[in-house]
Amino acid sequence: MNATTRPTAAHPAHQLIGTVLFDYEMPVERGKIREFAAATGATDPAYQGHNAPVPPTFLASSMHWEPQDPPLAALLGLDLTRVLQGGQEYTFTGRIPRAGDTLRAQTSVESVTEKRSSRGGTMAIIVVLTRFTYSDGEPAAESRATVIERAAS
């Protein structure tokens, strides 16, 4: 952290740090693995089998299982006209999920930081963490999405 970046309590998402916002199940379906692999150009024949592993970024599809009432953007207090995707990363912390598995996902706010914009005003940088576990509680993966809310004009 440098002089222009500091933790903030100003953004509404700050009060949500560490709070589980969504808790849901995500079935890992063979057909969806095949479709995802085809859509992303993954040609490994392993993605076609009955016990297919998920492609590296497959967990992005968890957003289709995430509750939408209210949507994440509303919970975080975001103005979608000012939001940018700052990045997405996946870390597999256990065995790779495969077709037939069911994952439990828990989404929370990991951090909120403010940074002075070069154009004036303050940007909010929010890291959203989703932890995936198997039905027995064994860790599977973590996903971190960085959301940037640009300064109001």
Side-chain angles (χ1 to χ4, degrees):
M1 217 175 281
N2 60 40
T4 61
T5 305
R6 60 184 168 77
T8 180
H11 196 279
H14 182 78
Q15 64 189 352
L16 298 173
I17 292 173
T19 302
V20 174
L21 304 174
F22 298 126
D23 185 341
Y24 57 98
E25 285 190 346
M26 176 188 168
V28 181
E29 302 168 3
R30 178 178 170 226
K32 294 301 177 184
I33 291 172
R34 289 177 72 145
E35 291 169 3
F36 192 89
T40 58
T43 59
D44 188 328
Y47 299 134
Q48 307 303 313
H50 287 285
N51 193 27
V54 298
T57 57
F58 179 81
L59 294 178
S61 66
S62 70
M63 65 186 270
H64 297 294
W65 293 96
E66 188 176 88
Q68 295 296 312
D69 188 22
L72 182 60
L75 285 172
L76 298 179
L78 296 172
D79 176 351
L80 291 178
T81 64
R82 297 186 288 130
V83 170
L84 303 170
Q85 168 67 324
Q88 184 79 35
E89 67 180 66
Y90 302 93
T91 305
F92 290 90
T93 55
R95 62 182 169 86
I96 301 297
R98 294 184 168 275
D101 286 334
T102 297
L103 300 176
R104 172 153 302 282
Q106 291 188 326
T107 301
S108 60
V109 174
E110 185 174 58
S111 65
V112 179
T113 307
E114 274 185 347
K115 182 176 181 180
R116 293 287 299 159
S117 170
S118 61
R119 296 181 189 184
T122 304
M123 299 185 302
I125 302 164
I126 303 165
V127 178
V128 177
L129 170 66
T130 302
R131 287 191 169 104
F132 297 90
T133 57
Y134 294 98
S135 55
D136 64 2
E138 175 189 351
E142 292 182 345
S143 167
R144 282 180 177 76
T146 302
V147 178
I148 302 168
E149 186 178 50
R150 296 178 295 121
S153 16

